[in-house]
Amino acid sequence: MEVNKQNPETEVGQPTEERPPQFEALMAFLDAETYEEKLEILYRMQLDLNDYLIDTMAVALDVVIPDGDIDDRYRQLKGCLEAKRKYEINRFR
């Protein structure tokens, strides 16, 4: 068994799993500790959003964003994040 040097977890000849271009931004959103950080990431992702990403982010925030136009869904998700940010308690104050 020959190991792929670029990705040691895969064997040579096996196709590697391709990640969508928004994958890193989505992971950053999910890992963000504050709603402020999540909002900043959402702003940066605005032009690259699709229904799957909005659904994933909504699940992470425990909210439901109804199906519809992508711009409307973005505004609804942003509104939810802004409301959560407003009431977020900062323990380090």
Side-chain angles (χ1 to χ4, degrees):
M1 175 175 94
E2 187 177 348
V3 176
N4 185 343
K5 292 178 184 175
Q6 292 177 348
N7 187 355
E9 295 179 7
T10 62
E11 294 179 34
V12 171
Q14 287 186 336
T16 58
E17 182 179 328
E18 299 229 1
R19 294 182 176 157
Q22 306 93 345
F23 180 80
E24 295 301 324
L26 178 61
M27 290 298 107
F29 179 90
L30 297 174
D31 289 340
E33 294 184 8
T34 66
Y35 293 119
E36 183 68 33
E37 292 172 341
K38 289 181 186 296
L39 261 173
E40 290 174 17
I41 295 165
L42 181 64
Y43 294 147
R44 289 194 308 258
M45 292 181 70
Q46 181 178 1
L47 299 175
D48 297 325
L49 286 176
N50 58 38
D51 287 323
Y52 173 78
L53 291 171
I54 290 177
D55 290 340
T56 303
M57 292 174 175
V59 167
L61 297 172
D62 200 25
V63 298
V64 175
I65 306 295
D67 291 338
D69 180 59
I70 196 78
D71 292 328
D72 291 338
R73 297 186 82 212
Y74 166 78
R75 282 191 287 278
Q76 291 174 23
L77 184 62
K78 184 178 79 163
C80 290
L81 268 171
E82 289 170 344
K84 288 179 177 278
R85 177 188 63 181
K86 181 178 180 180
Y87 297 105
E88 182 174 51
I89 298 172
N90 189 350
R91 295 180 189 197
F92 301 111
R93 284 187 187 178

